[in-house]
Amino acid sequence: MVIKMAESARVAVDAALSELAEGEKKWAATSLSDRRALLDRVRELTGRHAQQWVDAACAIKGLAASSPLVGEEWISGPYVMAAGLGALSKTLEVLARGESPLDGATFGVAGDRVTVDVLPAGPFDALLLNGFSAQVWLQRGVSSAAAKTNAGLAQLDPSRTHGVGAVLGAGNITSIAPLDVLYELIAHNRVVALKLNPITDPMLPVFAAILAPLIELGTVRLLTGGAEVGGYLVDHDLVDHVHMTGSARTHDAIVWGTGPEADERRLAGTPKLTKPVTSELGGVSPTIVLPGEWSAADIAFQAEHVATQRLHNGGYNCVAAQALIISADWAQKDQFLAAVRTALAAAPTRPPYYPGSDDRVARACGTYPEAERLGRDGERVLVTGLAPSPAEPLLTEEYFAPVLGVVELPGTGPEFARAAARTANDAFVGTLGVNIIAKPDTIDRLGASFDELIEDLRYGTVAINAWTGVGYLTPTASWGAFPGHTIDDVQSGIGVVHNAWLIDRVERTVVRGPFRPAPRSLLHGEFAISPKPPWFVGNKTAASTGRLLAGFGAEPGWLRLPQIFASALRG
């Protein structure tokens, strides 16, 4: 099918790319110090327009201004954007001095890989995310010395630019598109044409205001339009590279085309799009629950944790948990699943804003007629008794809707951990993120078997007692699929983003969090003072905490911390 494109849209794309070709020359002549000043200005504007950003996002998603769920928009919008800008700015400052962003980093070893501690990255992180940590694992064979030498990526030679990058923005989390623009511009030293997803077109005035310094220099252009505009953009002779966030289906349509033509191209090995493509494409993310002896409070908290992993942003997240892997022999299995049902049903109701959500829910219920309908209007779906097999539809189709499945495997110790890793790797489609929930004494008892579980999981982010979304919120962490995918079998995508220390040859990020919130964490020997996280769907003060965090992200300071702590503790 041929989709006609309005001449005005064609002219707009042509003009934007011509202007970027000129802007590339200005970017090449811009020093690292001046680039840092531009990022600092964008960060300031992010803070100034943060309320406008959140208002636009809430209008898209149908959230009332009084809803605690507005906190999701503060945290996954202006907060993470401002934090990312701050981290990139520091990296450029270090590079301008002729030093490596990893000169002060702490290196470690995990199996046969070198690791880099990326969270906490300073005293503010240590306080605001107390008890949380993250490591970037380098690919096999990369030494700490090589990592230090190559950190900085394309900014090691800033005058050598790499053409024009086209970014096809996401339609769910509003910070994805501008953060992807920053990664193209800084990590790859390419000027950027961003085409917004039509869902997020209302964000255009906000992004234009925030990115104004980069737009004025000629290094960024913003475009809107449907698939026809995106197709024309990525095929344009002036575009050298394409980055997209979306589904594998959309990726394949762009790269191979559609219908019989796409099949012929695949057989011949001749893609429709011949320029390099990177991508972040989601998938079916598992949450592995390791059996242990949990208190009633542990069960209730972790059930809400699972509900958050599924229902944050309405379930329209590329890394939303879609299936639990639990032990069939766990004595508390039924108690935990009952708590998960309660948490799914009790989470705040919200409109199904993402196109096609109701159809995908209906399709899941058609595939699984025994599915339980939860929530005020039965909009949430729980499916138990899934087979640990790639033939199981719920493990191979990303529903991008509030649908959660349960897979039960035998065993309770190392044998369960090994089987869980095998199932997550072999039965699930995608490699973006996997969550593990385990009581600290269970981790201690497993010992080397737990370390092997982490090593065996082929995912771009592995989160232990934390949601993988924490990896997204950490600017110094990498975000993307496990390496090794190709355009022929793209799975969760190719390449990484965020990665504010500009580390080369990243394999994965491993995030860790406390099993219990404070003060229970302290009472049970976990040295963590973090209360219930503000991204939890049941957090009552998420909106106020998120707003305060966004202000801190734009302008960090010690005097801002007491208000943040006071709000967070009431959550």
Short mmCIF file of all heavy atoms in Angstrom, two decimals, residues 423-476:
data_model
loop_
_atom_site.label_atom_id
_atom_site.label_comp_id
_atom_site.label_asym_id
_atom_site.label_seq_id
_atom_site.Cartn_x
_atom_site.Cartn_y
_atom_site.Cartn_z
N THR A 423 14.32 -20.42 31.26
CA THR A 423 13.00 -20.04 30.75
C THR A 423 13.00 -18.59 30.27
O THR A 423 12.48 -18.27 29.19
CB THR A 423 11.94 -20.23 31.84
OG1 THR A 423 11.91 -21.61 32.24
CG2 THR A 423 10.56 -19.83 31.35
N ALA A 424 13.58 -17.69 31.08
CA ALA A 424 13.63 -16.28 30.69
C ALA A 424 14.40 -16.08 29.40
O ALA A 424 14.03 -15.27 28.55
CB ALA A 424 14.26 -15.45 31.81
N ASN A 425 15.48 -16.84 29.22
CA ASN A 425 16.30 -16.68 28.01
C ASN A 425 15.67 -17.32 26.78
O ASN A 425 15.76 -16.77 25.68
CB ASN A 425 17.68 -17.32 28.24
CG ASN A 425 18.56 -16.49 29.14
OD1 ASN A 425 18.38 -15.28 29.27
ND2 ASN A 425 19.53 -17.14 29.78
N ASP A 426 15.03 -18.47 26.96
CA ASP A 426 14.63 -19.27 25.80
C ASP A 426 13.15 -19.17 25.44
O ASP A 426 12.78 -19.36 24.28
CB ASP A 426 14.97 -20.75 26.05
CG ASP A 426 16.46 -20.98 26.24
OD1 ASP A 426 17.25 -20.11 25.83
OD2 ASP A 426 16.83 -22.02 26.83
N ALA A 427 12.30 -18.88 26.42
CA ALA A 427 10.86 -18.88 26.14
C ALA A 427 10.29 -17.49 25.90
O ALA A 427 9.23 -17.35 25.28
CB ALA A 427 10.11 -19.55 27.30
N PHE A 428 10.98 -16.45 26.37
CA PHE A 428 10.48 -15.09 26.26
C PHE A 428 11.07 -14.39 25.04
O PHE A 428 12.26 -14.55 24.74
CB PHE A 428 10.85 -14.28 27.51
CG PHE A 428 10.03 -14.60 28.73
CD1 PHE A 428 10.14 -15.84 29.34
CD2 PHE A 428 9.18 -13.67 29.28
CE1 PHE A 428 9.40 -16.16 30.48
CE2 PHE A 428 8.43 -13.96 30.42
CZ PHE A 428 8.54 -15.20 31.02
N VAL A 429 10.25 -13.60 24.37
CA VAL A 429 10.74 -12.77 23.26
C VAL A 429 11.28 -11.47 23.82
O VAL A 429 10.65 -10.82 24.66
CB VAL A 429 9.60 -12.49 22.25
CG1 VAL A 429 9.95 -11.33 21.34
CG2 VAL A 429 9.32 -13.73 21.44
N GLY A 430 12.44 -11.07 23.37
CA GLY A 430 13.03 -9.80 23.77
C GLY A 430 14.08 -9.96 24.85
O GLY A 430 14.12 -10.97 25.57
N THR A 431 14.96 -8.96 24.94
CA THR A 431 16.07 -9.02 25.89
C THR A 431 16.31 -7.67 26.56
O THR A 431 17.42 -7.36 26.96
CB THR A 431 17.38 -9.44 25.17
OG1 THR A 431 17.73 -8.42 24.22
CG2 THR A 431 17.23 -10.77 24.46
N LEU A 432 15.27 -6.84 26.67
CA LEU A 432 15.47 -5.50 27.21
C LEU A 432 15.69 -5.52 28.72
O LEU A 432 16.64 -4.91 29.22
CB LEU A 432 14.28 -4.60 26.86
CG LEU A 432 14.44 -3.13 27.25
CD1 LEU A 432 15.62 -2.49 26.54
CD2 LEU A 432 13.15 -2.36 26.96
N GLY A 433 14.81 -6.18 29.47
CA GLY A 433 14.96 -6.14 30.92
C GLY A 433 14.33 -7.33 31.62
O GLY A 433 13.31 -7.86 31.17
N VAL A 434 14.94 -7.74 32.73
CA VAL A 434 14.42 -8.81 33.56
C VAL A 434 14.55 -8.38 35.02
O VAL A 434 15.54 -7.77 35.42
CB VAL A 434 15.17 -10.14 33.31
CG1 VAL A 434 16.66 -10.01 33.57
CG2 VAL A 434 14.58 -11.27 34.16
N ASN A 435 13.52 -8.69 35.83
CA ASN A 435 13.51 -8.36 37.24
C ASN A 435 13.67 -9.63 38.07
O ASN A 435 13.17 -10.69 37.69
CB ASN A 435 12.18 -7.71 37.63
CG ASN A 435 11.80 -6.58 36.70
OD1 ASN A 435 12.36 -5.50 36.77
ND2 ASN A 435 10.84 -6.83 35.81
N ILE A 436 14.35 -9.49 39.20
CA ILE A 436 14.49 -10.60 40.15
C ILE A 436 14.10 -10.09 41.52
O ILE A 436 14.59 -9.04 41.96
CB ILE A 436 15.94 -11.14 40.20
CG1 ILE A 436 16.39 -11.62 38.82
CG2 ILE A 436 16.06 -12.26 41.23
CD1 ILE A 436 17.87 -11.92 38.76
N ILE A 437 13.21 -10.80 42.18
CA ILE A 437 12.81 -10.45 43.55
C ILE A 437 13.27 -11.58 44.46
O ILE A 437 12.92 -12.74 44.24
CB ILE A 437 11.29 -10.25 43.66
CG1 ILE A 437 10.85 -9.07 42.78
CG2 ILE A 437 10.88 -10.01 45.10
CD1 ILE A 437 9.34 -8.90 42.71
N ALA A 438 14.08 -11.23 45.46
CA ALA A 438 14.63 -12.26 46.35
C ALA A 438 14.97 -11.66 47.70
O ALA A 438 15.59 -10.59 47.77
CB ALA A 438 15.89 -12.88 45.73
N LYS A 439 14.60 -12.34 48.74
CA LYS A 439 14.94 -11.93 50.09
C LYS A 439 16.47 -12.02 50.26
O LYS A 439 17.10 -12.94 49.74
CB LYS A 439 14.22 -12.83 51.09
CG LYS A 439 14.21 -12.34 52.51
CD LYS A 439 13.38 -13.28 53.38
CE LYS A 439 13.46 -12.88 54.86
NZ LYS A 439 12.72 -13.82 55.72
N PRO A 440 17.08 -11.07 50.98
CA PRO A 440 18.54 -11.09 51.11
C PRO A 440 19.11 -12.41 51.60
O PRO A 440 20.15 -12.86 51.11
CB PRO A 440 18.81 -9.95 52.11
CG PRO A 440 17.69 -9.00 51.89
CD PRO A 440 16.49 -9.84 51.58
N ASP A 441 18.44 -13.09 52.58
CA ASP A 441 19.00 -14.35 53.06
C ASP A 441 18.90 -15.45 52.00
O ASP A 441 19.69 -16.40 51.98
CB ASP A 441 18.41 -14.78 54.39
CG ASP A 441 16.91 -15.04 54.35
OD1 ASP A 441 16.32 -14.99 53.25
OD2 ASP A 441 16.32 -15.29 55.41
N THR A 442 17.92 -15.32 51.08
CA THR A 442 17.84 -16.28 49.97
C THR A 442 19.03 -16.09 49.04
O THR A 442 19.65 -17.07 48.58
CB THR A 442 16.53 -16.07 49.18
OG1 THR A 442 15.43 -16.31 50.06
CG2 THR A 442 16.46 -17.01 47.99
N ILE A 443 19.37 -14.83 48.76
CA ILE A 443 20.53 -14.54 47.92
C ILE A 443 21.79 -15.07 48.57
O ILE A 443 22.64 -15.69 47.91
CB ILE A 443 20.64 -13.02 47.68
CG1 ILE A 443 19.43 -12.53 46.85
CG2 ILE A 443 21.94 -12.67 46.97
CD1 ILE A 443 19.35 -11.03 46.70
N ASP A 444 21.92 -14.88 49.88
CA ASP A 444 23.11 -15.36 50.60
C ASP A 444 23.19 -16.88 50.53
O ASP A 444 24.29 -17.44 50.32
CB ASP A 444 23.07 -14.91 52.06
CG ASP A 444 23.24 -13.41 52.21
OD1 ASP A 444 23.73 -12.77 51.26
OD2 ASP A 444 22.86 -12.88 53.27
N ARG A 445 22.07 -17.57 50.71
CA ARG A 445 22.08 -19.04 50.69
C ARG A 445 22.45 -19.57 49.31
O ARG A 445 23.16 -20.57 49.19
CB ARG A 445 20.73 -19.59 51.12
CG ARG A 445 20.51 -19.65 52.62
CD ARG A 445 19.40 -20.63 52.99
NE ARG A 445 18.18 -20.38 52.23
CZ ARG A 445 17.24 -19.51 52.60
NH1 ARG A 445 17.40 -18.81 53.70
NH2 ARG A 445 16.16 -19.34 51.87
N LEU A 446 21.95 -18.90 48.28
CA LEU A 446 22.26 -19.35 46.92
C LEU A 446 23.72 -19.12 46.58
O LEU A 446 24.32 -19.88 45.81
CB LEU A 446 21.36 -18.63 45.91
CG LEU A 446 19.92 -19.11 45.83
CD1 LEU A 446 19.09 -18.18 44.96
CD2 LEU A 446 19.85 -20.54 45.30
N GLY A 447 24.31 -18.07 47.12
CA GLY A 447 25.73 -17.82 46.91
C GLY A 447 26.12 -17.76 45.45
O GLY A 447 25.61 -16.95 44.68
N ALA A 448 27.02 -18.65 45.05
CA ALA A 448 27.52 -18.66 43.67
C ALA A 448 26.41 -18.93 42.67
O ALA A 448 26.46 -18.45 41.54
CB ALA A 448 28.63 -19.70 43.53
N SER A 449 25.39 -19.68 43.09
CA SER A 449 24.28 -19.97 42.17
C SER A 449 23.52 -18.69 41.81
O SER A 449 23.01 -18.56 40.69
CB SER A 449 23.32 -20.98 42.80
OG SER A 449 23.94 -22.23 42.97
N PHE A 450 23.43 -17.75 42.77
CA PHE A 450 22.77 -16.48 42.46
C PHE A 450 23.62 -15.67 41.48
O PHE A 450 23.09 -15.09 40.53
CB PHE A 450 22.53 -15.67 43.74
CG PHE A 450 21.75 -14.41 43.49
CD1 PHE A 450 20.36 -14.46 43.35
CD2 PHE A 450 22.38 -13.19 43.38
CE1 PHE A 450 19.64 -13.30 43.10
CE2 PHE A 450 21.67 -12.04 43.13
CZ PHE A 450 20.29 -12.10 43.00
N ASP A 451 24.93 -15.65 41.69
CA ASP A 451 25.81 -14.95 40.76
C ASP A 451 25.70 -15.55 39.35
O ASP A 451 25.68 -14.82 38.36
CB ASP A 451 27.27 -15.03 41.23
CG ASP A 451 27.48 -14.31 42.56
OD1 ASP A 451 26.69 -13.39 42.87
OD2 ASP A 451 28.43 -14.67 43.28
N GLU A 452 25.61 -16.87 39.30
CA GLU A 452 25.46 -17.53 37.99
C GLU A 452 24.13 -17.17 37.34
O GLU A 452 24.05 -17.01 36.11
CB GLU A 452 25.57 -19.05 38.16
CG GLU A 452 26.97 -19.52 38.53
CD GLU A 452 26.99 -20.96 39.00
OE1 GLU A 452 25.93 -21.63 38.90
OE2 GLU A 452 28.04 -21.42 39.48
N LEU A 453 23.08 -17.02 38.15
CA LEU A 453 21.79 -16.61 37.61
C LEU A 453 21.91 -15.26 36.92
O LEU A 453 21.43 -15.09 35.78
CB LEU A 453 20.76 -16.53 38.76
CG LEU A 453 19.43 -15.83 38.44
CD1 LEU A 453 18.64 -16.61 37.40
CD2 LEU A 453 18.60 -15.67 39.72
N ILE A 454 22.56 -14.30 37.56
CA ILE A 454 22.71 -12.97 36.96
C ILE A 454 23.53 -13.06 35.68
O ILE A 454 23.17 -12.47 34.65
CB ILE A 454 23.39 -12.00 37.96
CG1 ILE A 454 22.64 -11.97 39.28
CG2 ILE A 454 23.48 -10.60 37.36
CD1 ILE A 454 21.18 -11.68 39.18
N GLU A 455 24.62 -13.81 35.72
CA GLU A 455 25.48 -13.93 34.55
C GLU A 455 24.76 -14.61 33.39
O GLU A 455 24.98 -14.26 32.22
CB GLU A 455 26.74 -14.71 34.90
CG GLU A 455 27.69 -13.97 35.84
CD GLU A 455 28.89 -14.84 36.20
OE1 GLU A 455 29.46 -15.46 35.28
OE2 GLU A 455 29.24 -14.89 37.40
N ASP A 456 23.91 -15.58 33.71
CA ASP A 456 23.27 -16.35 32.65
C ASP A 456 22.17 -15.58 31.93
O ASP A 456 21.85 -15.89 30.77
CB ASP A 456 22.67 -17.64 33.24
CG ASP A 456 23.74 -18.65 33.63
OD1 ASP A 456 24.89 -18.48 33.21
OD2 ASP A 456 23.41 -19.59 34.39
N LEU A 457 21.56 -14.61 32.59
CA LEU A 457 20.43 -13.90 31.99
C LEU A 457 20.91 -12.98 30.87
O LEU A 457 21.73 -12.09 31.09
CB LEU A 457 19.69 -13.09 33.07
CG LEU A 457 18.90 -13.93 34.06
CD1 LEU A 457 18.50 -13.10 35.27
CD2 LEU A 457 17.66 -14.53 33.39
N ARG A 458 20.36 -13.19 29.68
CA ARG A 458 20.77 -12.40 28.52
C ARG A 458 19.79 -11.23 28.33
O ARG A 458 18.91 -11.27 27.46
CB ARG A 458 20.81 -13.29 27.27
CG ARG A 458 21.83 -14.42 27.36
CD ARG A 458 22.05 -15.11 26.02
NE ARG A 458 20.84 -15.77 25.54
CZ ARG A 458 20.49 -17.02 25.81
NH1 ARG A 458 21.29 -17.76 26.58
NH2 ARG A 458 19.39 -17.54 25.32
N TYR A 459 19.99 -10.21 29.17
CA TYR A 459 19.13 -9.03 29.15
C TYR A 459 19.97 -7.78 29.30
O TYR A 459 21.00 -7.78 29.99
CB TYR A 459 18.08 -9.09 30.26
CG TYR A 459 16.96 -10.06 29.95
CD1 TYR A 459 17.11 -11.43 30.20
CD2 TYR A 459 15.77 -9.62 29.38
CE1 TYR A 459 16.09 -12.33 29.89
CE2 TYR A 459 14.75 -10.52 29.07
CZ TYR A 459 14.92 -11.87 29.33
OH TYR A 459 13.92 -12.75 29.02
N GLY A 460 19.51 -6.69 28.68
CA GLY A 460 20.25 -5.44 28.73
C GLY A 460 20.24 -4.78 30.09
O GLY A 460 21.18 -4.07 30.44
N THR A 461 19.17 -4.99 30.87
CA THR A 461 19.13 -4.53 32.26
C THR A 461 18.58 -5.65 33.12
O THR A 461 17.53 -6.22 32.81
CB THR A 461 18.24 -3.27 32.43
OG1 THR A 461 18.78 -2.20 31.64
CG2 THR A 461 18.18 -2.84 33.88
N VAL A 462 19.31 -5.97 34.17
CA VAL A 462 18.89 -6.95 35.16
C VAL A 462 18.70 -6.19 36.47
O VAL A 462 19.63 -5.52 36.93
CB VAL A 462 19.94 -8.07 35.35
CG1 VAL A 462 19.48 -9.06 36.41
CG2 VAL A 462 20.22 -8.77 34.02
N ALA A 463 17.50 -6.26 37.04
CA ALA A 463 17.21 -5.52 38.27
C ALA A 463 16.89 -6.49 39.39
O ALA A 463 16.01 -7.34 39.26
CB ALA A 463 16.04 -4.57 38.05
N ILE A 464 17.62 -6.36 40.49
CA ILE A 464 17.47 -7.23 41.65
C ILE A 464 16.79 -6.43 42.77
O ILE A 464 17.36 -5.44 43.25
CB ILE A 464 18.83 -7.76 42.11
CG1 ILE A 464 19.55 -8.48 40.95
CG2 ILE A 464 18.68 -8.68 43.32
CD1 ILE A 464 21.05 -8.50 41.07
N ASN A 465 15.61 -6.84 43.15
CA ASN A 465 14.81 -6.12 44.15
C ASN A 465 14.60 -4.66 43.78
O ASN A 465 14.50 -3.77 44.64
CB ASN A 465 15.44 -6.25 45.55
CG ASN A 465 15.33 -7.66 46.08
OD1 ASN A 465 14.40 -8.39 45.76
ND2 ASN A 465 16.31 -8.07 46.88
N ALA A 466 14.56 -4.42 42.51
CA ALA A 466 14.25 -3.11 41.96
C ALA A 466 13.61 -3.36 40.61
O ALA A 466 13.82 -4.40 39.99
CB ALA A 466 15.50 -2.25 41.81
N TRP A 467 12.81 -2.43 40.15
CA TRP A 467 12.27 -2.53 38.80
C TRP A 467 13.35 -2.08 37.81
O TRP A 467 14.14 -1.18 38.10
CB TRP A 467 11.03 -1.65 38.70
CG TRP A 467 10.37 -1.64 37.36
CD1 TRP A 467 10.29 -2.67 36.45
CD2 TRP A 467 9.70 -0.54 36.75
NE1 TRP A 467 9.60 -2.27 35.33
CE2 TRP A 467 9.23 -0.96 35.50
CE3 TRP A 467 9.44 0.77 37.17
CZ2 TRP A 467 8.52 -0.12 34.64
CZ3 TRP A 467 8.74 1.61 36.33
CH2 TRP A 467 8.28 1.16 35.07
N THR A 468 13.39 -2.69 36.64
CA THR A 468 14.35 -2.28 35.62
C THR A 468 14.17 -0.82 35.22
O THR A 468 15.10 -0.20 34.71
CB THR A 468 14.23 -3.18 34.37
OG1 THR A 468 12.85 -3.33 34.04
CG2 THR A 468 14.85 -4.54 34.60
N GLY A 469 12.99 -0.26 35.47
CA GLY A 469 12.78 1.15 35.20
C GLY A 469 13.76 2.05 35.95
O GLY A 469 14.04 3.17 35.52
N VAL A 470 14.31 1.57 37.08
CA VAL A 470 15.33 2.33 37.80
C VAL A 470 16.56 2.51 36.90
O VAL A 470 17.24 3.53 36.95
CB VAL A 470 15.70 1.64 39.13
CG1 VAL A 470 16.82 2.40 39.85
CG2 VAL A 470 14.47 1.54 40.02
N GLY A 471 16.85 1.50 36.09
CA GLY A 471 17.95 1.63 35.13
C GLY A 471 17.69 2.73 34.12
O GLY A 471 18.60 3.49 33.76
N TYR A 472 16.44 2.84 33.69
CA TYR A 472 16.08 3.93 32.77
C TYR A 472 16.28 5.29 33.44
O TYR A 472 16.73 6.25 32.79
CB TYR A 472 14.62 3.77 32.33
CG TYR A 472 14.16 4.86 31.39
CD1 TYR A 472 14.29 4.71 30.01
CD2 TYR A 472 13.61 6.05 31.88
CE1 TYR A 472 13.89 5.71 29.15
CE2 TYR A 472 13.21 7.05 31.02
CZ TYR A 472 13.34 6.88 29.66
OH TYR A 472 12.95 7.90 28.80
N LEU A 473 15.96 5.38 34.72
CA LEU A 473 16.06 6.66 35.43
C LEU A 473 17.49 7.02 35.81
O LEU A 473 17.73 8.15 36.25
CB LEU A 473 15.22 6.59 36.71
CG LEU A 473 13.70 6.48 36.55
CD1 LEU A 473 13.05 6.31 37.91
CD2 LEU A 473 13.14 7.70 35.83
N THR A 474 18.43 6.11 35.66
CA THR A 474 19.82 6.35 36.05
C THR A 474 20.61 6.80 34.83
O THR A 474 20.91 6.00 33.95
CB THR A 474 20.44 5.07 36.64
OG1 THR A 474 19.66 4.64 37.76
CG2 THR A 474 21.88 5.31 37.08
N PRO A 475 20.98 8.08 34.74
CA PRO A 475 21.59 8.58 33.49
C PRO A 475 22.93 7.95 33.16
O PRO A 475 23.29 7.84 31.99
CB PRO A 475 21.73 10.08 33.73
CG PRO A 475 21.62 10.27 35.20
CD PRO A 475 20.77 9.17 35.71
N THR A 476 23.67 7.52 34.18
CA THR A 476 24.98 6.92 33.93
C THR A 476 24.89 5.44 33.58
O THR A 476 25.91 4.83 33.22
CB THR A 476 25.88 7.12 35.16
OG1 THR A 476 25.12 6.82 36.33
CG2 THR A 476 26.38 8.55 35.23
#
